[in-house]
């Protein structure tokens, strides 16, 4: 299901779009091919006119997640990031918004896929509102974390470029085999927040996950 979905405004048609996906709070539905997640999100955004560079980041506590599953996500154009100890995806998004790096400068669209919808409304929406009209927010969340208030304030709604439900009938609907993933900028690297190490390829990231120094840090989770 989509709510308050709008076509991309002219300033966002060719500008950067970043997708931040909370992999723990919004897991891939059972039986859904993980390699199709990236192309499905890409197609949904292109259908709304977001045609600029697209980066999709899957972030979370990944200990115990099969590496074959993560590799399939990566093959579909998802950059994999292990959270730092004591951190959250919401904190990562706010840090990016406050960054001076050129890739996060306006005009900029961010899609946030997370189950902590109330927290997003409080922390991230206000951040976008304060930054001004050249920052655009898209949201997706599971059905059980929709607005408690069925008619949220106009300040919030006006700052949404779109809202989706994270299920087979919302953002993940369809999933045709001919959906493709546009090439991203390559600026984002796979990242292990436990060890504070970045990796240019998923294979390097997966090899690191099997090392003893990583296992020692993972045991603290």
């Amino acid at each position: 299901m989509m709510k308050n979905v709008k076509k991309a405004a002219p300033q966002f048609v060719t500008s950067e779009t970043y997708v931040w996906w909370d992999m723990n709070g919004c897991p891939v539905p059972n039986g859904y091919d993980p390699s199709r997640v990236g192309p499905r999100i890409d197609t949904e955004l292109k259908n709304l006119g977001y045609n600029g560079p697209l980066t999709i980041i899957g972030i979370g506590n990944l200990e115990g997640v099969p590496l074959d599953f993560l590799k399939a996500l990566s093959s579909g154009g998802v950059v994999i990031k292990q959270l730092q100890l004591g951190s959250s995806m919401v904190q990562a998004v706010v840090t990016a918004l406050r960054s001076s790096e050129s890739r996060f400068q306006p005009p900029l669209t961010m899609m946030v896929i997370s189950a902590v919808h109330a927290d997003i409304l409080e922390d991230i929406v206000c951040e976008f509102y304060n930054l001004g009209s050249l920052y655009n927010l898209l949201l997706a969340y599971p059905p059980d974390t929709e607005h408690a208030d069925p008619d949220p304030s106009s300040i919030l709604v006006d700052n949404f470029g779109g809202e989706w439900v994270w299920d087979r009938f919302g953002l993940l609907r369809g999933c045709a085999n001919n959906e493709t993933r546009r090439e991203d900028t390559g600026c984002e690297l796979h990242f292990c927040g436990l060890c504070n190490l970045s990796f240019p390829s998923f294979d390097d990231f997966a090899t690191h996950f099997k090392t003893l120094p990583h296992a020692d840090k993972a045991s603290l989770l």
Side-chain angles (χ1 to χ4, degrees), residues 18-45:
Y18 267 78
V19 176
W20 297 82
W21 168 31
D22 176 358
M23 295 172 59
N24 299 126
C26 294
V28 175
N30 289 335
Y32 195 93
D33 180 356
S35 70
R36 304 308 307 161
V37 172
R40 175 83 282 274
I41 294 172
D42 193 335
T43 297
E44 193 71 19
L45 291 172

Side-chain angles (χ1 to χ4, degrees), residues 12 50 108-110 128 133-138 159-161:
F12 301 120
Y50 295 96
L108 177 69
T109 294
M110 282 194 180
F128 270 83
S133 61
L134 289 180
Y135 289 83
N136 181 40
L137 175 62
L138 312 175
N159 283 274
F160 290 166

